[in-house]
Amino acid sequence: MQLPPLVAGKRFTLPRPHGAGDALLLARLGRSLADAGRMLVVFSAEPADSARLLDELPFFDPALRVAQFPDWETLPYDRFSPHQDLISERLATLWRMHRREVDVVLLPAATALTRLAPPSFLAATTFQFRQKTRLDEAALKAQLTLAGYQPVSQVVGPGEYAVRGGLIDLFPMGSPVPYRVDLFGDEVDSIRVFDPDSQRSLYPVPEVRLLPGREFPMDEAARSAFRARWREQIEGDPTRCRLYKDIASGVAGGGIEYYLPLFFDAPATVFDYLATGDAADRGAALVLHGKVDEAIERFWTDTRERHRFLQHDPERPLLPPPAVFQPAEEFFQHTQAFAVLSLRGSEALPWARPLPDLAIERGGTDPLGRLERHIAATPHRVLLLAESDGRRESLLDLLREHHISVPAVDTLQEFLHGAAAGEKVAIAAAPLAEGFHWLEPEAGVSVQFVTETELFATTPQARRRRKQEQVSDVDALIRDLSELEVGDPVVHLNHGIGRYQGLIHIDLGDGPSEFLPLEYADKALLYVPVSQLHLISRYTGVSAEEAPLHRLGSGQWDKARRKAAEQVRDTAAELLNLYA
């Protein structure tokens, strides 16, 4: 694989590699730039690609420092503010970019259009303190309040603090954990991480860094400047607007983020965080992943329509879209100062080739025949990839049932250069969405990455940090009928525990369709369409032979679910009382 030469002011175009080949390319490019002291910023046309690359890049280079700049996840001009966790992650990423503490930054192109607080705001409002230093408790409380932190009785989320005597609990923005500061007089005696669920102290740390609690200032001077700019830029009587009056009272109303430019003389863009002004800084390199121009055009079409629809409310006048978001021309003009790589289209490259058809043959006498024959015939090494450790064990069980024995490895490096370097085939847990054939003969590499997407012939799904599926345990999911045997107990989301009875075809008038008969108590049968396979999960209770079957239509399953929910609530209440 030959990396493209990335020079400031020049643009280089490549086809997007097949499968997860783009993650391998970006990991190689990110490592090359990081070794030269440069940062790589990837603007993706599809938000799902940013989330996918966040998971896939560490598989190819675990030492690469990767961060995602998340979207607010609200519609333009919404009346409610983004979740505090998102604000925390955004501020942390901006700080890391400003301090050059990250190698690769991932963000959707539409997210990159939003105007931001200038780097000087972060630099002026971020502070830290260490153990055994002097700390004025009253001054700290005042500073936290001005920074946007909320005083609470018990700290559980980012942007909160609580004071109890000589103890100060803090959950800094951008931090994955909260801290407990123990003061001895006006000196920091100790700083410890604590568990927000149990409220127990865990382990000591030497210092705490506090980012601002919001993406804009809320001190008196900033609020006065906000109101002055509002009167200059927005027509109408400001006293009719609740948001304007709330700012005068020191309250940040819902959706205030879409008025962020009013807090600053000159709001910034994400590009302002890519140049430090240091002569030794060789500048960041940009990647336009996918059809970025079309994604930006779609965003602007939707935003203009939202503005047209909402702009006539006299109690909530809006800033014009160009004041809040960069127009496409401005975005691409900013990119011209940087080295740019564009990944567009999709075609097989010499080093990233598609895989042959290895899909499990559902209902066949030898479901894994294609995979078994391929492993026997191919001269290339094969690494099977499951989405999690639990899924890896399920696949291993499936392979053993068909007399295919493969060793398990923990990392790609172990397979390439470690204890498994001599193995032709192995299996690992990795979040690759789609496989490909990595072929670099000059480097002695020829590995076929086979994921569950290829094995079960499914559509690649982007992996997200915030799971929204109703099934809480990904290890319990059933991906394909070949993972089930007749008589296995399963759990239907709406009907409870039954036993799988095979696969049958039923003609409902539109041609034969596939159904799974599930046997319940009293020999009752429930026919579940294969299209609803996502509603069925593995039974993980007592032994399979002793699994208790529910009675259809009796309400027994609903009662069991309600009882479990009540037990969870009771346990939570007991824990709160215990640690209060």
Side-chain angles (χ1 to χ4, degrees):
M1 180 196 315
Q2 185 174 0
L3 297 178
L6 296 183
V7 181
K10 302 293 184 181
R11 182 165 177 164
F12 199 91
T13 301
L14 282 178
R16 176 177 168 177
H18 182 79
D22 57 347
L24 173 59
L25 172 63
L26 294 175
R28 286 281 190 88
L29 187 58
R31 171 52 54 202
S32 173
L33 293 170
D35 291 343
R38 301 173 65 188
M39 183 167 54
L40 181 66
V41 182
V42 182
F43 300 103
S44 63
E46 300 298 330
D49 281 328
S50 288
R52 173 181 63 83
L53 290 170
L54 183 67
D55 290 332
E56 293 182 350
L57 286 173
F59 173 72
F60 294 108
D61 189 344
L64 205 61
R65 299 175 299 176
V66 184
Q68 184 181 26
F69 185 69
D71 191 74
W72 278 333
E73 295 187 5
T74 58
L75 293 174
Y77 302 112
D78 263 345
R79 290 173 175 257
F80 53 88
S81 292
H83 194 280
Q84 196 75 347
D85 289 347
L86 294 173
I87 298 296
S88 175
E89 188 175 353
R90 285 167 62 91
L91 287 168
T93 301
L94 289 176
W95 177 257
R96 294 177 67 187
M97 292 167 65
H98 179 58
R99 301 274 296 182
R100 291 298 187 266
E101 296 175 356
V102 63
D103 300 322
V104 180
V105 179
L106 307 166
L107 69 164
T111 302
L113 300 179
T114 307
R115 301 196 186 276
L116 307 170
S120 58
F121 165 71
L122 272 187
T125 54
T126 299
F127 65 98
Q128 61 185 30
F129 52 86
R130 301 178 60 87
Q131 189 177 356
K132 303 304 179 184
T133 57
R134 298 177 65 85
L135 185 66
D136 187 323
E137 179 184 327
L140 176 63
K141 290 170 61 176
Q143 193 163 4
L144 288 171
T145 302
L146 283 177
Y149 284 74
Q150 298 298 318
V152 295
S153 59
Q154 182 172 298
V155 171
V156 294
E160 297 178 344
Y161 76 94
V163 179
R164 299 190 303 275
L167 291 178
I168 303 176
D169 288 350
L170 299 165
F171 205 138
M173 300 295 283
S175 172
V177 292
Y179 300 96
R180 177 162 292 149
V181 182
D182 189 357
L183 296 178
F184 184 74
D186 59 354
E187 183 180 271
V188 177
D189 187 54
S190 68
I191 306 173
R192 291 180 175 271
V193 170
F194 72 91
D195 184 345
D197 296 324
S198 67
Q199 295 291 303
R200 286 186 172 182
S201 298
L202 299 177
Y203 54 86
V205 293
E207 65 181 9
V208 172
R209 183 193 68 201
L210 287 172
L211 292 171
R214 301 185 180 93
E215 295 185 42
F216 49 87
M218 280 293 286
D219 56 86
E220 180 60 38
R223 290 186 281 119
S224 296
F226 176 95
R227 297 196 303 274
R229 294 187 188 100
W230 179 296
R231 293 189 295 270
E232 291 173 1
Q233 300 180 31
I234 297 179
E235 297 180 357
D237 182 4
T239 60
R240 297 183 60 186
C241 180
R242 176 66 179 271
L243 202 65
Y244 178 89
K245 292 187 288 186
D246 283 345
I247 285 292
S249 305
V251 176
I256 189 68
E257 287 75 16
Y258 292 102
Y259 299 84
L260 182 144
L262 298 180
F263 284 101
F264 305 102
D265 289 328
T269 68
V270 69
F271 298 100
D272 292 299
Y273 287 84
L274 306 185
T276 62
D278 187 346
D281 182 13
R282 298 178 55 196
L286 313 182
V287 174
L288 304 181
H289 185 283
K291 299 177 180 178
V292 170
D293 51 348
E294 295 181 11
I296 291 177
E297 183 57 37
R298 287 195 302 272
F299 172 84
W300 267 99
T301 299
D302 295 341
T303 299
R304 282 191 289 262
E305 183 63 21
R306 288 270 301 173
H307 181 266
R308 185 189 65 81
F309 181 71
L310 298 172
Q311 66 178 334
H312 301 295
D313 184 353
E315 296 184 359
R316 197 178 179 92
L318 305 178
L319 286 171
V324 185
F325 308 100
Q326 298 176 75
E329 300 78 12
E330 182 181 346
F331 175 85
F332 287 109
Q333 184 178 1
H334 279 306
T335 66
Q336 293 175 7
F338 298 87
V340 178
L341 170 63
S342 177
L343 297 179
R344 291 183 69 103
S346 181
E347 64 181 68
L349 296 174
W351 59 270
R353 302 180 178 182
L355 298 170
D357 183 8
L358 301 174
I360 291 174
E361 299 176 77
R362 181 187 300 167
T365 56
D366 187 12
L368 294 177
R370 289 176 182 166
L371 178 63
E372 189 173 9
R373 289 189 295 271
H374 176 75
I375 290 175
T378 183
H380 311 292
R381 302 181 72 193
V382 178
L383 183 59
L384 305 174
L385 298 173
E387 339 182 307
S388 66
D389 291 334
R391 291 292 307 159
R392 182 181 66 180
E393 295 306 312
S394 298
L395 281 178
L396 278 171
D397 290 341
L398 180 62
L399 293 169
R400 292 189 193 105
E401 290 172 6
H402 293 82
H403 310 290
I404 302 175
S405 178
V406 298
V409 297
D410 293 326
T411 65
L412 174 60
Q413 287 67 30
E414 181 182 346
F415 182 64
L416 293 178
H417 311 295
E423 300 287 349
K424 180 181 178 181
V425 184
I427 186 170
L432 265 63
E434 189 175 2
F436 68 102
H437 182 185
W438 177 19
L439 181 62
E440 290 189 81
E442 66 281 0
V445 177
S446 181
V447 178
Q448 294 180 334
F449 297 106
V450 180
T451 70
E452 295 189 56
T453 298
E454 288 77 44
L455 289 178
F456 299 119
T458 57
T459 302
Q461 299 294 326
R463 277 68 169 175
R464 296 183 180 271
R465 284 184 171 266
R466 301 171 181 84
K467 298 292 184 183
Q468 297 179 352
E469 293 86 352
Q470 292 186 11
V471 180
S472 61
D473 187 357
V474 70
D475 297 341
L477 290 173
I478 296 171
R479 295 298 185 195
D480 196 85
L481 297 181
S482 58
E483 298 184 25
L484 294 175
E485 293 184 355
V486 174
D488 281 353
V490 295
V491 182
H492 191 286
L493 182 65
N494 300 321
H495 300 287
I497 303 171
R499 289 191 182 275
Y500 172 64
Q501 298 298 312
L503 183 68
I504 64 173
H505 293 79
I506 301 178
D507 191 344
L508 299 178
D510 298 324
S513 299
E514 293 178 317
F515 288 82
L516 284 72
L518 302 183
E519 183 180 277
Y520 286 81
D522 302 328
K523 302 295 182 181
L525 288 175
L526 175 71
Y527 295 93
V528 181
V530 169
S531 61
Q532 296 182 12
L533 188 62
H534 62 282
L535 297 178
I536 300 174
S537 60
R538 299 176 184 280
Y539 173 74
T540 57
V542 296
S543 65
E545 294 76 15
E546 300 175 2
L549 303 184
H550 288 114
R551 183 174 287 105
L552 287 177
S554 66
Q556 185 181 5
W557 172 241
D558 290 334
K559 183 179 179 181
R561 293 173 68 182
R562 284 196 301 271
K563 185 176 180 181
E566 290 171 0
Q567 290 175 342
V568 170
R569 286 194 295 270
D570 291 345
T571 302
E574 291 174 4
L575 288 172
L576 289 174
N577 290 332
L578 180 62
Y579 296 112

